[in-house]
Amino acid sequence: MPGPGLFEVAWQGVVGVGRLIATAPCTAFGGVLEGSGERVGQAVLYERVGFLAELSQELTRALVASRWDEASLEVLAAGVDGQGEPLPSKGWMALRRLGWAKDAIPAAGVYVSDRVRRGAEEYAARTLRLALHRRTVVAAVLATWPADPHRRTQAEWTALRALLPSGVGHAEIRNRTRQVRAYVAEHGKLPAGLCELEEPPQIAGQVLLAAMDRQQVTLERVDAATARLRVKLPLRAAPGSGRDWAWHVIDLRLPGTIAPEAVLHTPTLRPTRSGRIAVDLPHSTPVAPIPAAGHTVALGFDWGVNTLLTGTVGRLTGRGITARVVTDGRPLLFDATAISAKLHRLRGHREHLATRRDHYQQLADGLGAPHLAWAALLDKAAVLEVEHERVCARIRRLNQALAWAAARWAVDQSAALGATVIYLEDLATLEARGKRRGNARLSGQVRGSVVEAMRHLAAKAGIAVATVPARGTSARCPQCLGPLGHHPAPDRLHVRGWTWAHCPDCHLSLDRDHAAARRIVSRGLLAQSHTATDRATGARAIRTTVEGTVTAVRRPKKTTRRLRRARRAQVLPARPPGPR
């Protein structure tokens, strides 16, 4: 189930209609006991939701820990039960088919209904299924462990790529290699697999109500702005019987992002540390299918450091071997210099707080309990831990705001220019190179969140989003495909740099990111017939590189004047009838 603010696009090919699935964060401020009509305040409701979350957390933790071994993950990856039948897509049904559900047993004297156990089993199944991808990557890294763990040869890279699933980026390979390298440095040998390399995953305190039926939870929409959630909650931390459970009616105020025609789905409850009851409410909206090919006007965006997005519009003219891409040369810039600098300062402050907190903790551990300064050092470490969490929360909020602002800007630019598709660099084939400081700034960007938000907003606007290979987009000239020279400024072409691009063959001179954006839109339009769509998520990608030149042309003035007159006619009042 998608988390807060996440989404996916599910296409139903039979009827030609898609569903845009998103998750909206809501808050439960109080409820009513259905039997007696007693009003339940936020504090009491938070306590009872916490009881249910703790029961579900303990059951899920026990189930995941009992099946955290290579043999169990191998059975789950095979996708069949003992009789050779395919496992159900629902996680709790798959675990019961395998006979693993008996490992989740509540404590003695605690009554938990079968519906609550379903939610815990569903959470455990999703956790174990998410670990299958990490297990595949770790297995490929271990099978092709290089002679020099710090640098692979070309042959070792080829062997590793042959074992990895598609879409695994360089950053993930690098992180898993570092993880295995740290294990080898500590134990002196390679791990047998993921379960030896990592401890069982941490289980959050949340309740997946989607796995439960109407005997535990119901959800109905009251009006365009309100939904009513009925859920059975425990009245005590360790309910001894069914009489310790009661129905609670909770009215949820729906955010404005949920359309009136959207279909609501069963949410997830999460008691937060701040005392708030978070309700992750998924909803789906029908959208028209967007074709993967047949586009003539597109926008291509290149990723940058301070300028998060640099784009240009491209138009496809001609057909077959005469097809070419033209552009009017206008750059589109989303400058995030100020917010990027703020995020960089906050990340430095976060690291400073973590260093001081760990220092005080180490001093306290060295002194021991009898020492007079032991309690004071622990108090200082606790204060720094609270401040560290506050800074982390602020960074997350800024990242989310930046991602959605950039995505909204890109979709609005596409709609205003009449583009029907947006082309981006594939993040799986994009990795920062060079100095460590530059890598740190690039890794702190919210590119993945921008792509997800852009797909969501573009689907609402009827615009397709596809990724193209990123390799070589800044190395060659978009006008003649010759090698580009990189310089610090247009008046310093004799100095090597990064910002400015100059072609010694055709003398094209423009911003480096702008030149890359032209190459990206050209690769997308010329290779759009090779677009592949992921059936699970609806994400589209072009993995075939088709090179072509991009010609700069003047904007047609007649079309511009006609559009200007049409906009003026919409704004100005109608001319009264009669003679002038």
Side-chain angles (χ1 to χ4, degrees), residues 72-95:
S72 299
L73 293 182
E74 181 65 28
V75 171
L76 195 60
V80 294
D81 57 10
Q83 288 74 32
E85 296 292 333
L87 292 176
S89 59
K90 293 184 178 180
W92 66 271
M93 295 179 63
L95 295 191

Side-chain angles (χ1 to χ4, degrees), residues 204-442:
Q206 62 181 7
V207 185
L208 300 184
L209 299 178
M212 306 176 188
D213 58 13
R214 297 180 63 87
Q215 297 188 28
Q216 183 69 29
V217 59
T218 62
L219 177 68
E220 62 178 359
R221 191 163 191 163
V222 179
D223 50 37
T226 309
R228 181 160 296 163
L229 176 67
R230 292 177 62 253
V231 59
K232 188 178 290 187
L233 299 176
L235 304 178
R236 46 187 296 192
S241 64
R243 289 187 292 271
D244 294 331
W245 295 72
W247 283 99
H248 293 68
V249 180
I250 306 171
D251 286 340
L252 303 175
R253 185 70 178 176
L254 301 180
T257 55
I258 301 180
E261 67 274 8
V263 179
L264 304 181
H265 304 281
T266 312
T268 296
L269 299 181
R270 291 184 298 109
T272 63
R273 295 183 179 180
S274 60
R276 186 175 67 92
I277 306 172
V279 182
D280 300 332
L281 183 61
H283 58 280
S284 60
T285 307
V287 293
I290 305 174
H295 305 285
T296 57
V297 182
L299 252 66
F301 288 102
D302 179 64
W303 301 104
V305 181
N306 293 327
T307 305
L308 181 59
L309 290 173
T310 301
T312 188
V313 60
R315 291 176 173 83
L316 183 65
T317 62
R319 295 182 179 180
I321 60 176
T322 62
R324 66 170 187 158
V325 178
V326 299
T327 180
D328 57 13
R330 289 180 295 173
L332 307 172
L333 305 177
F334 183 84
D335 193 353
T337 305
I339 191 65
S340 296
K342 181 65 175 179
L343 287 169
H344 192 62
R345 291 194 299 268
L346 286 175
R347 283 191 287 268
H349 184 47
R350 177 187 61 185
E351 297 300 327
H352 177 67
L353 292 173
T355 302
R356 292 184 59 191
R357 176 201 61 195
D358 296 341
H359 178 64
Y360 285 132
Q361 187 66 44
Q362 290 176 0
L363 290 177
D365 295 340
L367 294 177
H371 201 279
L372 297 177
W374 175 73
L377 291 173
L378 288 183
D379 291 340
K380 292 181 179 180
V383 171
L384 291 174
E385 175 64 23
V386 173
E387 181 67 14
H388 182 267
E389 293 181 356
R390 188 187 68 83
V391 174
C392 290
R394 188 176 183 184
I395 291 175
R396 287 193 297 269
R397 290 194 297 269
L398 285 176
N399 281 335
Q400 185 179 19
L402 176 61
W404 283 93
R408 170 57 65 188
W409 172 84
V411 173
D412 289 346
Q413 292 289 338
S414 303
L417 294 172
T420 57
V421 62
I422 298 174
Y423 291 115
L424 302 165
E425 288 179 305
D426 189 358
L427 296 178
T429 59
L430 183 65
E431 184 181 15
R433 297 181 181 177
K435 297 182 179 180
R436 183 176 181 180
R437 182 178 179 88
N439 288 341
R441 296 192 66 183
L442 285 174

